[in-house]
Amino acid sequence: MGKITYKRLKGSQNMRQRLLLATLKSTPVLIEDIHADDTLPGLRPHEISLLRLFEKLTDDCLIEINETGTKLKYKPGIIVGGSHLVHDCGVSRAIGYFLEPLILLGLFARKTLVIILKGITNDSKDPSVDTFRSTTFPLLKRFGVPSEGLKLEIKSRGVSPHGGGEVHLAIPTVQHLTATMWTDEGMVKRIRGEAFTTRVSVQLGNEMIYAARGIFNRLLPDVYIASDYRKRSEAGNSSGYGISLVAETTSGCCISADTTVSYPRGDEEEDIEGEEKKELIPAADVGEKLASVLLEEIEKGGVVDSTHQGLLFLLCALCVNDVSKVRVGKLSPYGIETLREIRDFLDVQFVIKPDPSTGTVILKCWGSGMKNLSRKTT
Amino acid sequence: MAMDSGADGQSHKAHRSRHSGASAKKKTKAKNKDQNSDQKQQNPKAFAFRSNAKAKRLQSRAVEKEQRRLHLPVIDRSYGELPPFVVVVQGPPQVGKSLLIKTLVKHYTKHNLPDVRGPITIVSGKQRRLQFVECPNDINGMIDAAKFADLALLLIDGSYGFEMETFEFLNILQVHGFPKVMGVLTHLDKFKDVKKLKKTKQRLKHRFWTEIYDGAKLFYLSGLIHGKYPKREVHNLARFISVMKFPPLSWRTSHPYLLVDRFEDVTPPERVQMNSKCDRNVTFYGYLRGCNLKKGTKVHIAGVGDFSLAGVTGLSDPCPLPSAAKKKGLRDKEKLFYAPMSGLGDLLYDKDAVYININDQFVQYSKVDEMGGTTNKENKRDVGEDLVKSLQAVKSPIDEKLEKTKISLFSHNGRKRRKAIFGDGVDHSNLKSTDEENEGDEDDDSDNDNDEGENDRSNEDNESCSGSEFSDGDEEDLKSEDDRSNEDNESCSGSEFSDGDKEDLKSEDGMGNISKWRASLVERASKKQNINLMQLVYGKSASTSNTSTNEVKDDSENEESDEDEFFKPKGQRAKNSIEGLGGGNINTEDCSKSTKISELKNWKEEEVYESIRDRFVTGDWSKGALRNQMSEAKTEEDDIDGDFEDLETGEKYESHQKDDSSNGGIQKEDDDAIEERRLKKLALRAKFDAHYDGSESPEEETDVQNGGKFHRSQANDSGYYDKLKEEIELQKQINIAELDDLDKTTRLEIEGFRTGMYLRLEVHDVPFEMIEYFDPCHPILVGGIGLGEENVGYMQTRLKRHRWHKKVLKTRDPIIVSIGWRRYQTTPVYAIEDQNGRHRMLKYTPEHMHCLAMFWGPLAPPKTGVLAVQNLSNNQAAFRIIATAYVLEFNHAARIVKKIKLVGYPCKIFKKTALIKDMFTSDLEVARFEGAAIRTVSGIRGQVKKAAKEEIGNQPKKKGGQAREGIARCTFEDRILMSDIVFLRAWTQVEVPQFYNALTTSLQPRQKTWQGMKTVAELRREHNLSIPVNKDSLYKPIERKPRKFNPLVIPKALQADLPFESKPKNIPHRKRPLLEDRRAVVMEPHERKVHALVQHLQLIRNDKMKKRKIKEEEKRKEVEAQRAKDEQVLRKRRREERQERYREQDKLKKKIRRHVEA
């Protein structure tokens, strides 16, 4: 009765998927060797923030971290959700990092989740909040999530290093997710987007839009990119600009790409805009490059872009006991890691078949039959 | 009998109908009546609705009925062959359960069953199998039986009437999903009087109906003939069983479960010898029911506990349907029944052995044969006979021998035994270690390369035999073949393969001999597009049918085998990054975004952007559309080839490619459309079938009759319902189509073991008591544990005491609950939800209401039924089920509160403020309750302010004593009295005890009653303790002393100011009365006269009045009597009138109804 058997894992990789799946399946996990060999060992601030968020949403969960922070014991509780929740995501990762697990967690909560998230809204590492609105939510609808309850409002934008953004998120609960057969990727019929600027000139936004359009115009006339100019309180604490684009296809698939340019934070940040620490990439280049990224995503094919592969696989695996079939482009490393975690936690394996003629991959799985058990019956 | 063949030509006398007499009259009357009614119906106007409102009401009623008939369609996810239906035969002792099973088995299989032990599987029809189980008589057995029963036959002793077991079992069934139920009355031959028999039948039937539903089937078995039930009646019963439909039950469709029909102890004998009480390894065999079983699933063995599966193996069906079983020869008899626990069935298949059951006489015969040493008979000997003999000649048991031989063959690597399925019926060539046979068995169509490879491997020693790893199914077959037919056991064990071997073969050790055929493959493989992505993602696949689940899974275990490298085509080398990810760093940052902005193509160049032109609506639509279809078609192609990973397919695959390209997309398009159409058609057909079946059911028929003409019009409107059904059916067809695409092993990986499969579950570390006290009469239930059900926590249930249980239930008294598969003892706390949502504790359950019960235990999903029992003993006469409930929700914290009243007394009173003592014990406590509402007995409300300052409240300290804590300053709406008592009413959390005790009834002798935690009452009774009495709680007569008030004292100064009127007058008390009071009055003579006269007059008047009063009284009485009489008459008349009127109305109504019906 008293003894809890923990699933033993190693390293901080896939922390989000592991915690998410552990919570959904209510498997206690024990993670060791978290950044053990680094100069600064132990959990990173965003990982701790993530744990706090999980603690906030669940009832009676147990989190134990050893002194050095290299070992984590997590015994999940029951997902409660609820409204009037506030979470400060910190400035080490963007809100997108937290949103990805949060969305799935919210679906299987007892009460509808309404939460205010504070921190960095746009980042080059994580999908931006605009992408969530434009691409992730339509993706959820495919799996039987009611569209009325899904809401994401951007109250203010914040970019790294100092953040200061705020979004209001509402996620409805579901009884279960429905399986989907989603292999028709369709043809791109329109491209939409949003270019934002915080604490910088409006002109930069327009430059990005102009540059991006320059690339798309040769392929498609239906391109509309809105500009979102934020100032004063709505603009967060630091200056930056970015753009997010979505290509919609005839079969209702959304393929997105986004990026943000801002000053890197302090000392630890080197990899993304390493070459030019002082100067930011010119806006026109950003627009052009992102447009190219989007075209590359389109070229890869599949019903979702590479960023959303992980989420798509998770959704497929959490469906009722039916067959789901989806087509994605080249498997992304994140997608592959997610597949492995799904296998380990949910015992769901995908049949993965390459489609050589189009360079895409078709995945098939038998849903795990996850049901929302925490919902109260009347 | 009299009829013989010669009587064919004889014509029979035709029936002559009566033309006169009583029966003829009756007939003509009936005919006339019919005609009359027909005529009536021809006048439609006469029978239209006269009243608008009435028509509306009728119609709405019909609609409502229609809607009530509809149920949310249930998704049936069991594809393929169904497992046998479980027929549980239940009844009190001595009612004829075993006899019924025996006769039914005899009816189906023409075999006599010596005794009924364990489940008995029989084939009852072309498409149907049944599994008969006798329900044990204790309550634990009944609860378990209710959980796996598909049909419950309730046997009732007609001569005795109903017994409590029947009702208990019915209640248990109801809680656990209510499968189909049929009553069977036996012992009806004890009635001598026909009339009495008829009446008893009627009575029992109606009692049965009230318990289930009106019209529930109750079957009568009239009596025994030669100690057996009459053949005709058994035949009828069998027919009833064979047409029965079994609706899916929600708990069972979401959990896999096994009714164990065979049970073995597979602990190594040495371990048992060392310590007879060591934990055992056991295997369970049975058909998988419910839903698919995934490999990682934990199981609950009823009455034992939770275990993780050490191994799951699919075995060949021991009792296949006649349609599924392939006859191998004329000699093969159809196996119509399978009951290993009853000692029936001659062959038992295990994963690595076949056990043969031989009767004693056969043993004798073959032994004699052996001894006689008849050489010339040797040639004619039967294969089976041979086998039996070889088995007999063996000195040591097979297990040991297998162990030994294995070591001698594969001594260099300590490997595990390879488990196998006796799955597909494909009869494969027996790959023995001899060369010639192998050559002869080569497939003709295989190309040269293949031949070479085969030869290479077959020329090797036994090890190379395991090189035949390209098709798993073959191996398995081969194994079974070997087991049966090989004389020498060396070769028998030689065909045992293991994963370990395979791996070895693939890795460097095996490289030497395989390198040849590999080398020839290199080019091909590099060309091959179809690399196994699954292997890349999931590492080396454990794609065998059996698994051993590890608690601790080591992720990132994908060592890059050279094979992977080897099979990697040039085009896909970029995927290396994927591999790298799994291997090295365990602390990689997790980012879902992966694109690097730096390495992009230049999309401004024309050829670059033109390359994806077709992905846009501005491009070529037909090409874009083709992209989807072509790829889909191709994937199907891949499936076919994907199973084979060697050279042969390379060729084939290529050819397919060519075909595709040459024929172009048009054909593919067609194929696609055809495929889609086929799916839809299938779905439609299935839907129609379902609908058709539904309308066949008797309930619906009655509905049709009652609903009258509205039915048809409504049927068209239920579009939503139909749509739902259609969707479900389509999804089902899609699932089937998609799953059929996969090959066998992949399919097993994806969806787990399918329902209907015969499985062997291996479980380790089971307490030895299970083996020791195993009783085949008590069936073992092995249920899969669903998502999150292995955790323990608090559960909130909605509970109702059973109306037949005599007492109410007490909070914290241990009860035994049955939830899901489990049974455990726990201590519930009862509560009720108040208006404001607060859960208030109850000391006892309400008598006739639902209440909440919160308890601690292994969790069950919401809506699961719960059954509560307090006493497990059999001799308890009363009803044993104490309550039923269902789970509302589960959470980790209990939120039940109870009322608490803090009492305090004023110690000092200011104007409206008072200091209250004794309410709190410390200042800290006061601080906790600041602002709390309080009240005095007299109803003055107030509020707690703060802890009192020392100098005010604490007199004792001034005197040098300890400062008294916990005095609170409170304010009231009015000044309170020192004699007032002050209350603070609050709520305090109630702890639900974290206690549960799994019922381990399988780990003790069956006749012993399980003893768990005892109730307080039981303990008191045992130890002869009286119930403790709190003296304060006793009722005493209330003594109220007369209250003494002090005299009113008016201050002197005030007195001086008062007016004289109000001034207190201090008159001293006189000893003698005043003169005024003492003097007498004397009247004058005239006055006296007047006084006397007045007196006289008054007397006269009084007398008169009296007389008048009497008279009036009499009169009134008379009038009243008259009125009563009249009233009576009137009432009588009114009643008669009313009766008349009602009769008339009734007649009219009947008439109308008749018309409407007609």
Side-chain angles (χ1 to χ4, degrees), chain B residues 130-250:
Chain B
L130 298 173
Q131 201 161 28
F132 289 104
V133 185
E134 186 179 332
C135 179
N137 266 319
D138 59 324
I139 190 122
N140 291 305
M142 272 153 69
I143 288 172
D144 285 346
K147 287 173 189 172
F148 56 69
D150 287 315
L151 164 68
L153 291 180
L154 304 179
L155 258 65
I156 300 147
D157 186 343
S159 64
Y160 183 85
F162 284 107
E163 283 171 71
M164 268 308 173
E165 277 89 346
T166 309
F167 289 118
E168 278 171 350
F169 192 64
L170 268 175
N171 274 285
I172 296 167
L173 285 176
Q174 240 154 2
V175 168
H176 291 300
F178 216 22
K180 286 268 181 182
V181 168
M182 197 156 92
V184 179
L185 275 186
T186 58
H187 293 281
L188 292 179
D189 48 352
K190 294 231 172 115
F191 289 94
K192 296 283 175 277
D193 186 6
V194 181
K195 206 167 187 185
K196 200 177 166 195
L197 171 66
K198 208 172 160 190
K199 276 210 167 144
T200 317
K201 272 183 179 175
Q202 192 81 357
R203 189 166 47 81
L204 291 178
K205 187 173 75 180
H206 279 98
R207 185 66 192 81
F208 192 64
W209 285 4
T210 50
E211 206 57 36
I212 305 177
Y213 62 89
D214 274 0
K217 183 68 200 161
L218 189 63
F219 203 86
Y220 308 108
L221 289 176
S222 60
L224 296 179
I225 297 171
H226 308 308
K228 287 259 166 68
Y229 293 115
K231 251 188 178 174
R232 178 46 47 186
E233 282 172 2
V234 172
H235 180 82
N236 285 343
L237 179 61
R239 238 192 1 223
F240 266 108
I241 294 171
S242 67
V243 296
M244 204 159 265
K245 283 203 191 78
F246 302 102
L249 307 175
S250 69

Side-chain angles (χ1 to χ4, degrees), chain B residues 884-998:
Chain B
T884 54
Y886 70 94
V887 179
L888 284 180
E889 63 173 330
F890 49 66
N891 34 21
H892 284 303
R895 277 186 218 86
I896 292 182
V897 288
K898 70 176 177 184
K899 213 185 260 177
I900 187 171
K901 225 181 219 177
L902 303 179
V903 183
Y905 306 95
C907 61
K908 192 168 175 57
I909 295 168
F910 307 102
K911 270 181 181 160
K912 283 182 178 173
T913 307
L915 300 183
I916 309 293
K917 63 176 183 183
D918 292 346
M919 186 176 272
F920 307 107
T921 53
S922 68
D923 283 353
L924 197 71
E925 221 176 276
V926 181
R928 171 76 183 77
F929 282 94
E930 271 171 22
I934 50 176
R935 204 176 65 96
T936 67
V937 176
S938 50
I940 301 169
R941 289 168 296 179
Q943 197 183 27
V944 176
K945 286 296 182 191
K946 266 186 175 164
K949 281 176 196 153
E950 276 181 28
E951 58 268 20
I952 303 167
N954 289 311
Q955 261 84 25
K957 202 191 175 182
K958 279 178 196 161
K959 290 165 195 166
Q962 191 69 18
R964 217 173 128 192
E965 280 215 323
I967 294 178
R969 181 164 58 85
C970 307
T971 57
F972 293 89
E973 54 187 5
D974 199 357
R975 189 191 157 111
I976 63 165
L977 295 175
M978 279 302 274
S979 59
D980 267 333
I981 303 171
V982 183
F983 292 116
L984 190 155
R985 299 199 301 179
W987 297 92
T988 182
Q989 185 95 28
V990 179
E991 283 291 308
V992 177
Q994 290 202 346
F995 164 80
Y996 92 90
N997 189 4

